[in-house]
Amino acid sequence: MIVVMLSVAIINEVLERRRRQRWSILAQYVMLELVRNARLIWTGVLEHAGLLAPDGARPESVDANGPLVRDTPGLTAALRQVVVDDVRLRGLHEEIAVLAAHSDEVLGRWAAVMLNADAYAEVVDRHVELASDIGWLNGLLDNSDPPDDSRRRRRAQSSPAVQIEGGIAGEQLADRVVVIAQLAEELDRGTLELALRIVPVAWWRARLGTADSQEAARGRASAGVQSSATFPKPFAE
């Protein structure tokens, strides 16, 4: 009987580890999707502000470009030049429309799943805030400068943003875009840090057989643990 009970306990522990591993991989995937969405927003703003080099959106350039977003006076001045130029303003408007649609798609796909996990609810809430901010702004811009797309026009006409705020332009518009871009950059950094804690990079290197996978495997072996044990518990038990 004792042997049977021990066997059941071991099997249950193995199954629990596998469950945590599956959830951890899913959670990391979602966090990285949120990172990508946030990064699209702040790098898109930098590009239209004329502050992003042609290859500035590449991953290796992210750390160098972050300070450009956090430089409130510099970014504000650049965007105030954009909003007084009809051509550049139209380009920024179209970029915001694309970003709003992408944010809706990402949050619509994953928010309901992740909000059920206390460990991730707060960070997802912040990304919902970001998506709401950019969607709100897009509604105001689509109402003041109606696009050719009839669906976007109808959405703008029914937008609560228009009813509540009316419109936005000039320096107020530039200042609003600065706030959104800075929130996106902050969420990019914070969510990426969280994602890399969920599943260690060393585990992926070993899993995918990269050059230093053997070193990572030796490190796990010396610690006396299995690879699945390196996953933190992402959900409250």
Side-chain angles (χ1 to χ4, degrees):
M1 177 63 71
I2 294 176
V3 173
V4 172
M5 292 177 63
L6 287 174
S7 299
V8 170
I10 292 171
I11 292 172
N12 286 339
E13 175 62 21
V14 170
L15 293 175
E16 176 62 17
R17 285 184 180 182
R18 289 178 178 175
R19 186 188 72 84
R20 290 202 304 267
Q21 178 174 324
R22 287 195 300 270
W23 275 114
S24 295
I25 292 173
L26 174 62
Q28 186 182 64
Y29 174 80
V30 175
M31 293 299 108
L32 292 176
E33 284 293 289
L34 294 176
V35 167
R36 181 169 66 167
N37 184 62
R39 189 168 297 174
L40 282 171
I41 291 172
W42 70 264
T43 56
V45 169
L46 279 186
E47 181 178 1
H48 284 275
L51 299 175
L52 191 68
D55 61 346
R58 296 177 63 85
E60 59 268 24
S61 303
V62 169
D63 290 340
N65 289 318
L68 296 176
V69 179
R70 297 192 292 273
D71 176 12
T72 302
L75 182 57
T76 301
L79 285 169
R80 287 182 177 179
Q81 293 296 316
V82 173
V83 299
V84 297
D85 182 315
D86 289 343
V87 174
R88 296 181 70 191
L89 177 58
R90 178 64 62 86
L92 178 63
H93 178 184
E94 290 304 313
E95 178 75 9
I96 288 172
V98 170
L99 295 172
H102 186 263
S103 297
D104 281 348
E105 180 183 352
V106 172
L107 269 299
R109 183 182 303 159
W110 296 114
V113 175
M114 302 309 294
L115 285 173
N116 288 326
D118 291 341
Y120 304 112
E122 182 176 354
V123 68
V124 173
D125 279 346
R126 298 298 309 283
H127 283 275
V128 171
E129 176 189 345
L130 175 62
S132 177
D133 287 347
I134 199 163
W136 182 280
L137 180 58
N138 184 54
L140 294 175
L141 293 176
D142 277 357
N143 184 68
S144 62
D145 183 15
D148 295 333
D149 188 327
S150 60
R151 290 172 298 179
R152 279 176 55 190
R153 289 200 305 272
R154 287 198 299 272
R155 283 173 59 90
Q157 290 166 359
S158 62
S159 172
V162 177
Q163 179 184 4
I164 295 170
E165 193 168 351
I168 189 169
E171 293 185 357
Q172 185 183 11
L173 171 58
D175 294 348
R176 182 77 60 85
V177 176
V178 169
V179 171
I180 292 173
Q182 290 180 336
L183 174 59
E185 194 273 337
E186 176 189 344
L187 290 176
D188 179 340
R189 286 183 287 117
T191 309
L192 180 60
E193 181 182 344
L194 172 61
L196 295 179
R197 291 202 307 266
I198 296 171
V199 183
V201 173
W203 186 90
W204 281 113
R205 287 173 177 163
R207 184 80 167 182
L208 300 175
T210 52
D212 54 351
S213 62
Q214 292 182 347
E215 180 180 347
R218 285 196 298 271
R220 287 195 304 275
S222 64
V225 296
Q226 299 296 320
S227 61
S228 61
T230 64
F231 288 88
K233 293 182 180 180
F235 295 89
E237 300 294 341

